[in-house]
């Protein structure tokens, strides 16, 4: 078990290190291109997306793939309204209609980040009612911890209905059974609510 956990930590560490190296390399390349933009059909980001998400058989992940569309601008340099409303395309991994690698309409770097957030980690939300007497350390009166799920969509809380709207690039964390979970979670005078969100690599528990 310890070996498996160590391998999982090493894996995600190497992934993040490789992304950091690529971002540094791209930054140096942009400084030396002198205004020229190079479009590569196969790049670090397309290879990463293919190997880590499309061709990966990890059973701990959902089979949905999220593609972030690139921004189309009009002649005034403004993002087109239709593009704002459809930033993300979602496909099953075995779909025959997956965008081809190198498709210029896809922002491959952003797609890598989004799929890492949605697939690589599991999230725990902890809410605590606390009080802090003068010149004393904060005291936790009660707390609730619940597993939550990252999503590029959201549901409005001020209106009825079950339809979701795209929130990306903002990520919302979905909490099941909200009313039941926080039914006895009440706040009194001189008390405060503290919130903590913890992300854990899924492979650590394999």
């Amino acid at each position: 078990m310890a070996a498996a956990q160590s391998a999982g930590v090493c894996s995600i560490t190497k992934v993040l290190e490789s992304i950091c190296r690529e971002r540094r390399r791209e930054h140096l390349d942009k400084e030396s291109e002198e205004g020229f933009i190079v479009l590569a059909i196969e790049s670090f980001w397309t290879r990463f997306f293919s190997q880590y998400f499309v061709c990966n058989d990890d059973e701990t992940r959902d089979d949905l793939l999220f593609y972030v569309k690139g921004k189309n601008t009009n002649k005034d340099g403004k993002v087109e309204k239709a593009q704002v409303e459809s930033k993300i395309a979602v496909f099953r991994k075995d779909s025959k209609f997956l965008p081809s690698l190198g498709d210029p309409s896809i922002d491959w770097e952003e797609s890598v980040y989004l799929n890492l957030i949605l697939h690589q980690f599991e999230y725990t939300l902890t809410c605590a009612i606390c009080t802090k007497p003068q010149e004393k350390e904060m005291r936790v009166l009660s707390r609730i911890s619940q597993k939550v799920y990252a999503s590029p969509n959201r549901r409005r809380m001020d209106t009825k209905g079950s339809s979701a709207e795209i929130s990306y690039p903002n990520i919302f964390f979905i909490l099941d059974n909200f009313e039941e979970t926080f039914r006895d979670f009440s706040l009194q005078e001189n008390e405060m609510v503290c919130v903590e969100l913890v992300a854990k690599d899924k492979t650590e528990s394999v």
Side-chain angles (χ1 to χ4, degrees), residues 53-195:
F53 300 114
V54 179
C55 300
N56 194 308
D57 296 326
D58 187 348
E59 296 181 355
T60 65
R61 296 180 183 172
D62 197 310
D63 67 341
L64 292 179
L65 295 175
F66 295 80
Y67 293 80
V68 178
K69 297 182 180 180
K71 295 180 180 179
N72 292 334
T73 57
N74 57 27
K75 61 182 180 180
D76 297 323
K78 296 181 179 179
V79 178
E80 296 177 358
K81 183 178 180 181
Q83 187 70 17
V84 173
E85 295 175 349
S86 57
K87 298 175 183 176
I88 299 174
V90 185
F91 298 90
R92 294 286 181 187
K93 187 184 294 187
D94 59 358
S95 172
K96 297 179 181 179
F97 304 102
L98 292 180
S100 59
L101 293 176
D103 185 334
S105 69
I106 302 298
D107 187 325
W108 292 100
E109 181 179 357
E110 289 292 326
S111 298
V112 165
Y113 297 149
L114 179 57
N115 283 275
L116 277 175
I117 291 171
L118 300 183
H119 294 315
Q120 184 64 38
F121 302 97
E122 57 184 27
Y123 302 90
T124 301
L125 175 71
T126 298
C127 294
I129 294 179
C130 306
T131 182
K132 190 177 186 304
Q134 292 184 353
E135 300 181 359
K136 292 185 179 180
E137 293 184 359
M138 185 177 295
R139 177 187 173 197
V140 177
L141 303 178
S142 63
R143 73 178 67 187
I144 296 175
S145 292
Q146 187 82 13
K147 186 175 182 179
V148 292
Y149 304 90
S151 173
N153 303 316
R154 69 173 181 178
R155 288 184 171 84
R156 296 183 63 90
M157 302 296 290
D158 56 349
T159 59
K160 293 183 178 180
S162 57
S163 61
E165 59 185 27
I166 294 176
S167 61
Y168 182 85
N170 294 322
I171 301 297
F172 280 73
F173 292 86
I174 309 302
L175 176 65
D176 293 333
N177 303 320
F178 174 84
E179 293 183 356
E180 180 180 343
T181 301
F182 290 94
R183 180 174 51 194
D184 300 323
F185 203 72
S186 59
L187 197 64
Q188 306 298 327
E189 187 176 355
N190 297 323
E191 295 177 351
M192 66 186 78
V193 176
C194 298
V195 179

